[in-house]
Amino acid sequence: MKRRSFVLAGLGAGGLLAAAWLRPGDRGQPHDAYFQALNQELKARGPMRPALVIDLDRLDHNIEVVRRFLARSGKQLRLVEKSLPAPDLLRYIGERIGTRRLMSFHQPFLNHDARLFPEADILLGKPLPVRSAQLFYQRHRGPFDPARQLQWLIDTPARLQQYLALGQGLGTRLRINIELDVGLHRGGVGDSQALAPLLQLIADHPQHLEFAGFMGYDPFVGMNLPELLGTQDELLAKVMALYQRQVDFTRQRFPALWRAGLTLNTAGSPSYRAHERESLSSEVAIGTGLLKPSHYDLPSLQEHVPAVYIATPVLKHTGALRIPALDEQSRLLSWWDVNQRETFFIYGGNWMADPVSPAGLQLSGLYGRSSNQELVNGSPAVGLAVDDQVFLRPTQSEAVLLQFGDLLAVRGGRIVERWPVYRES
Ligand SMILES: Cc1ncc(COP(=O)(O)O)c(C=O)c1O
């Protein structure tokens, strides 16, 4: 062989080797026993449209993890209603953990809470416009007593003035919890200078305002921040130093407002575990971590297991991926990537969620997304047929849970309850 052709042959072989190395492997696998059981159940008794599945066995595991934390830390739990937005889901968790405390973020849901949970103790998780608060009182009926059982969250003197006027107009007393900025920088009171006028206004109007405590939310303590920004211990120490400063200031300058039993709320799912190492706060707020969608795959929630999935049927099975206009030339794609050899159109799609079962399903960047009939590709090994279910794992819970009508609660692979989600009115 001439030297030149020898070099070319070498390059060709090298190219083929490189191509073989770059070529995607087969990622497809059929449903495992867990998802296969759910698939059978949903085909037999499900709605055969997109559905939100809550696995009660897995939820029970997460409840137990939180229950043990509460026993160790001596703290109370406040359930984050917006992250678990179905009254029966909240009731299920509340009864097992033994809490009547809720954190609400939305006037229509707040009115539902007050009617459905007349024994609840409710803290707002964000400061609502005063008109929203007014609407709450207008619509409220029943034995839930806002003057005893509800805490409005307040961030600025201007808003507190508005709430004071509301309380005066209604002839009632509003319980006020003050939002602290403990490092999240999402508003709230950052120093004692900003706190003083709020406490003064409350002290000056005991007929219409009552100090109920503080709320300092610190999810960044449990996020995967680069070590450079501080270890979890360092971040927690900073948060608690800020919290302690406001507590000390209140006790020293406004001793008449201070009493045992104030609500000293902190944390969220990402950070609650860290609060085992401090004893200032009286309670933690947790919602999403009990269902563990994928954005909560954090080291701090390592003991929690995923308990929420979207299930949706396959409507069509059309073979290898074909892109409009490329038509038969699309075959190059499925020739190259075995994971594009089967195409499935599912019922619905474009959710904040990623396919998880069968393993190896992928969306097509070339074909695009659809909320009506979304395309997913897989290799023949995924073993899907029309009417089989595809399972997706939501990235978050609060918006996703509201998109599917009744939640399907399953236990041991069987649908055992159907739980309506919150309505907007
Ligand atoms: C004030 C406050 N506390 C706690 C939480 C924690 O909620 P979750 O546990 O669902 O992350 C949130 C979430 O947005 C929040 O805004």
PDB file of all heavy atoms in Angstrom, residues 218-229:
ATOM      1  N   ASP A 218     -35.303  30.769  54.606  1.00  0.00           N
ATOM      2  CA  ASP A 218     -33.876  30.642  54.266  1.00  0.00           C
ATOM      3  C   ASP A 218     -33.563  29.426  53.376  1.00  0.00           C
ATOM      4  O   ASP A 218     -32.676  28.638  53.717  1.00  0.00           O
ATOM      5  CB  ASP A 218     -33.072  30.518  55.567  1.00  0.00           C
ATOM      6  CG  ASP A 218     -33.472  29.262  56.343  1.00  0.00           C
ATOM      7  OD1 ASP A 218     -34.432  28.579  55.932  1.00  0.00           O
ATOM      8  OD2 ASP A 218     -32.807  28.943  57.346  1.00  0.00           O
ATOM      9  N   PRO A 219     -34.274  29.239  52.258  1.00  0.00           N
ATOM     10  CA  PRO A 219     -34.067  28.005  51.480  1.00  0.00           C
ATOM     11  C   PRO A 219     -32.618  27.817  51.036  1.00  0.00           C
ATOM     12  O   PRO A 219     -32.155  26.685  50.888  1.00  0.00           O
ATOM     13  CB  PRO A 219     -34.992  28.187  50.264  1.00  0.00           C
ATOM     14  CG  PRO A 219     -35.204  29.666  50.145  1.00  0.00           C
ATOM     15  CD  PRO A 219     -35.155  30.187  51.550  1.00  0.00           C
ATOM     16  N   PHE A 220     -31.892  28.936  50.860  1.00  0.00           N
ATOM     17  CA  PHE A 220     -30.510  28.836  50.354  1.00  0.00           C
ATOM     18  C   PHE A 220     -29.597  28.046  51.294  1.00  0.00           C
ATOM     19  O   PHE A 220     -28.574  27.528  50.865  1.00  0.00           O
ATOM     20  CB  PHE A 220     -29.928  30.245  50.091  1.00  0.00           C
ATOM     21  CG  PHE A 220     -30.032  31.153  51.298  1.00  0.00           C
ATOM     22  CD1 PHE A 220     -29.005  31.229  52.221  1.00  0.00           C
ATOM     23  CD2 PHE A 220     -31.172  31.909  51.507  1.00  0.00           C
ATOM     24  CE1 PHE A 220     -29.105  32.048  53.340  1.00  0.00           C
ATOM     25  CE2 PHE A 220     -31.287  32.733  52.624  1.00  0.00           C
ATOM     26  CZ  PHE A 220     -30.265  32.800  53.537  1.00  0.00           C
ATOM     27  N   VAL A 221     -29.993  27.932  52.557  1.00  0.00           N
ATOM     28  CA  VAL A 221     -29.170  27.150  53.494  1.00  0.00           C
ATOM     29  C   VAL A 221     -29.092  25.689  53.063  1.00  0.00           C
ATOM     30  O   VAL A 221     -28.087  25.014  53.279  1.00  0.00           O
ATOM     31  CB  VAL A 221     -29.722  27.280  54.941  1.00  0.00           C
ATOM     32  CG1 VAL A 221     -29.091  26.264  55.883  1.00  0.00           C
ATOM     33  CG2 VAL A 221     -29.503  28.693  55.469  1.00  0.00           C
ATOM     34  N   GLY A 222     -30.153  25.210  52.418  1.00  0.00           N
ATOM     35  CA  GLY A 222     -30.168  23.798  52.027  1.00  0.00           C
ATOM     36  C   GLY A 222     -29.924  23.562  50.552  1.00  0.00           C
ATOM     37  O   GLY A 222     -29.970  22.426  50.091  1.00  0.00           O
ATOM     38  N   MET A 223     -29.708  24.638  49.794  1.00  0.00           N
ATOM     39  CA  MET A 223     -29.446  24.469  48.364  1.00  0.00           C
ATOM     40  C   MET A 223     -27.994  24.050  48.166  1.00  0.00           C
ATOM     41  O   MET A 223     -27.168  24.240  49.033  1.00  0.00           O
ATOM     42  CB  MET A 223     -29.675  25.786  47.604  1.00  0.00           C
ATOM     43  CG  MET A 223     -31.060  26.347  47.756  1.00  0.00           C
ATOM     44  SD  MET A 223     -32.264  25.402  46.838  1.00  0.00           S
ATOM     45  CE  MET A 223     -33.668  26.490  46.904  1.00  0.00           C
ATOM     46  N   ASN A 224     -27.712  23.577  46.966  1.00  0.00           N
ATOM     47  CA  ASN A 224     -26.348  23.142  46.677  1.00  0.00           C
ATOM     48  C   ASN A 224     -25.472  24.317  46.282  1.00  0.00           C
ATOM     49  O   ASN A 224     -25.008  24.382  45.154  1.00  0.00           O
ATOM     50  CB  ASN A 224     -26.383  22.151  45.515  1.00  0.00           C
ATOM     51  CG  ASN A 224     -26.331  20.743  46.028  1.00  0.00           C
ATOM     52  OD1 ASN A 224     -25.906  20.507  47.155  1.00  0.00           O
ATOM     53  ND2 ASN A 224     -26.758  19.812  45.189  1.00  0.00           N
ATOM     54  N   LEU A 225     -25.231  25.240  47.168  1.00  0.00           N
ATOM     55  CA  LEU A 225     -24.415  26.402  46.800  1.00  0.00           C
ATOM     56  C   LEU A 225     -22.941  25.997  46.793  1.00  0.00           C
ATOM     57  O   LEU A 225     -22.538  25.102  47.538  1.00  0.00           O
ATOM     58  CB  LEU A 225     -24.622  27.535  47.805  1.00  0.00           C
ATOM     59  CG  LEU A 225     -26.030  28.111  47.898  1.00  0.00           C
ATOM     60  CD1 LEU A 225     -26.064  29.268  48.885  1.00  0.00           C
ATOM     61  CD2 LEU A 225     -26.515  28.583  46.540  1.00  0.00           C
ATOM     62  N   PRO A 226     -22.130  26.668  45.947  1.00  0.00           N
ATOM     63  CA  PRO A 226     -20.698  26.359  45.971  1.00  0.00           C
ATOM     64  C   PRO A 226     -20.126  26.618  47.371  1.00  0.00           C
ATOM     65  O   PRO A 226     -20.502  27.604  48.011  1.00  0.00           O
ATOM     66  CB  PRO A 226     -20.099  27.365  44.973  1.00  0.00           C
ATOM     67  CG  PRO A 226     -21.249  27.935  44.205  1.00  0.00           C
ATOM     68  CD  PRO A 226     -22.498  27.712  45.005  1.00  0.00           C
ATOM     69  N   GLU A 227     -19.272  25.733  47.808  1.00  0.00           N
ATOM     70  CA  GLU A 227     -18.665  25.840  49.156  1.00  0.00           C
ATOM     71  C   GLU A 227     -18.071  27.218  49.427  1.00  0.00           C
ATOM     72  O   GLU A 227     -18.073  27.695  50.548  1.00  0.00           O
ATOM     73  CB  GLU A 227     -17.562  24.792  49.319  1.00  0.00           C
ATOM     74  CG  GLU A 227     -18.090  23.411  49.671  1.00  0.00           C
ATOM     75  CD  GLU A 227     -18.151  23.162  51.178  1.00  0.00           C
ATOM     76  OE1 GLU A 227     -17.156  23.443  51.860  1.00  0.00           O
ATOM     77  OE2 GLU A 227     -19.204  22.700  51.660  1.00  0.00           O
ATOM     78  N   LEU A 228     -17.598  27.819  48.307  1.00  0.00           N
ATOM     79  CA  LEU A 228     -16.993  29.152  48.391  1.00  0.00           C
ATOM     80  C   LEU A 228     -17.909  30.142  49.095  1.00  0.00           C
ATOM     81  O   LEU A 228     -17.467  31.060  49.788  1.00  0.00           O
ATOM     82  CB  LEU A 228     -16.739  29.615  46.940  1.00  0.00           C
ATOM     83  CG  LEU A 228     -15.882  30.832  46.718  1.00  0.00           C
ATOM     84  CD1 LEU A 228     -14.443  30.502  47.084  1.00  0.00           C
ATOM     85  CD2 LEU A 228     -15.970  31.251  45.245  1.00  0.00           C
ATOM     86  N   LEU A 229     -19.215  29.967  48.922  1.00  0.00           N
ATOM     87  CA  LEU A 229     -20.178  30.903  49.499  1.00  0.00           C
ATOM     88  C   LEU A 229     -20.482  30.583  50.966  1.00  0.00           C
ATOM     89  O   LEU A 229     -21.228  31.296  51.615  1.00  0.00           O
ATOM     90  CB  LEU A 229     -21.474  30.893  48.688  1.00  0.00           C
ATOM     91  CG  LEU A 229     -21.322  31.324  47.236  1.00  0.00           C
ATOM     92  CD1 LEU A 229     -22.639  31.206  46.474  1.00  0.00           C
ATOM     93  CD2 LEU A 229     -20.818  32.774  47.154  1.00  0.00           C
TER      94      LEU A 229
END
